[in-house]
Amino acid sequence: MKRFVLALLLCAPPALARAADAPKTGPWDVKALASADVKPEWGQKVGTVREVYYPGEPFGGKPTRVFAYYARPAKGDGPFPAVLLVHGGGGKAFSAWAEHWANRGYCALAMDLAGHGPNGRLPDGGPDQSDDTKFRDFDDKTVREMWTYHAVAAVLRGHNLLRALPEVDKDRVAVTGISWGGYLTCIIAGLDGRLKAAVPIYGCGFLHENSVWEESRFDKVAAARARRWTDTFDPSNYLPNVKCPILFLNGTNDFAYPMDSYQKCYDLVQAPRTISVRVRLPHGHIWTFGEVDAFIDSHLNKGAPLPELGAMARAGDTVTAQVTSKTKLKSAQLHYATAEGVWQKRQWASDTADIKDGVVTAKLPAARPLVYELAVTDERGLEVTTPHAVLTAPTLPNSCEATPQVLGTSVAIFSSRRGVCRAQVALLPSTDEERYHVPHHR
């Protein structure tokens, strides 16, 4: 019987063979971290917010402490839903962020993940969050000295702290993170099966393929070093393990986490996912996005869910997507840009789309290459989008005697006039779902 099963696996498609493997957990002992007894040391309280310290992972052979702000609703005994708040680069434990969620009926823990307390560096803090620290070289003996290892472990330990509090409903806990905190959230959501919802804002994986760090931290170091970091700490290793509903929120022109890497990340997720890639969304420690609040509410606190958009389909120059919503839809749009140059500099425009009988419909502009997505906004002003798609431009042949080229969605017929090779392009009708990706531009 064992030989038969092994033979099946050897003959199975790669996706099936991968599914038979245990989920990747990297350097983290998830079982030990999730069961660790985390005893808080409570500090000063101001309003609904209180300082707290709790044990982190050893660093440099010495014990560490993590500082955080804890907030709970001003009224009631609970049990309340709870949320873990993960800051980004240059950030800290934000008391106002924890207070934001307490005012909405949640318990919240906003941790510092750079070894700091309320007044600067802790003598027993973990590693700092400089890029030199994040991306430094390591080996099997020092992997647990790395910033990503400590930051992820601190969040899992913080989850333990929340779950042990009598006012917290341990079965209703979510995580959200901003920028580098979004990067961490992608990893945490793939490791911590206790979570009921996750929202990475901006941050994602495939940093080695396209990100603001690609050249300085991957291209300029030895290939083995870059590969070791990527294989251990890139979120793409852990996103396939996500089990909870997840919202990906980003901007079309984000300076750090471009749309191609972002799409590769959410494509890895098998759990229910929602996407909101908004035109020129600003990047910063912004915790007031209504999409984040509503998404977590819908999974933890019986709130109205965000609208749901199905996959896009294209027929000629018409693109459609199914939409369902428990709230009234206010508008629909086609967002698009010329698919040339780096993502951060692309000029996005928007045209009004139609909504009728649960279908969003829009006409594509004629320009090629083109990147586009459909979007709907509900009466609350909350926007969700489809995954983006790309239509490529025709490639001129070496000779005008070449046969017509079928280019995904178009056919190009070449002819010569006055010594100039010209291409006449016509769209091919299609009713199938299509996904196109732009080659990475350096």
Side-chain angles (χ1 to χ4, degrees), residues 289-292 294-295 306-307 376-384:
F289 293 125
E291 288 84 357
V292 179
F295 182 81
L306 294 172
V376 294
T377 303
D378 70 8
E379 61 184 354
R380 299 170 292 180
L382 308 181
E383 181 178 351
V384 298

Side-chain angles (χ1 to χ4, degrees), residues 282-360:
H283 186 116
H285 276 106
I286 305 168
W287 49 76
T288 54
F289 293 125
E291 288 84 357
V292 179
D293 294 351
F295 182 81
I296 291 178
D297 281 349
S298 69
H299 293 288
L300 269 65
N301 217 17
K302 299 180 180 179
L306 294 172
E308 294 184 12
L309 273 170
M312 286 191 294
R314 190 190 62 79
D317 63 351
T318 299
V319 61
T320 60
Q322 300 283 335
V323 62
T324 58
S325 181
K326 292 187 177 180
T327 55
K328 184 179 179 180
L329 295 176
K330 183 173 67 174
S331 63
Q333 291 181 305
L334 173 75
H335 301 316
Y336 60 91
T338 301
E340 292 179 331
V342 296
W343 289 91
Q344 292 86 343
K345 295 183 179 181
R346 294 181 180 180
Q347 299 299 312
W348 286 79
S350 300
D351 289 344
T352 300
D354 296 325
I355 309 175
K356 184 178 180 181
D357 298 329
V359 178
V360 179

Side-chain angles (χ1 to χ4, degrees), residues 40-43 50-54 66-70 109 161:
E41 302 173 32
W42 297 103
R50 190 173 182 181
E51 296 177 355
V52 63
Y53 298 82
Y54 63 92
V66 178
F67 171 76
Y69 287 110
Y70 172 73
L109 189 71
L161 188 159

Side-chain angles (χ1 to χ4, degrees), residues 73-91:
K75 297 181 180 180
D77 297 324
F80 303 106
V83 60
L84 296 154
L85 308 175
V86 189
H87 68 77

Side-chain angles (χ1 to χ4, degrees), residues 1-10:
M1 182 64 181
K2 290 182 179 179
R3 291 181 179 178
F4 176 71
V5 172
L6 179 60
L8 281 177
L9 288 175
L10 290 173

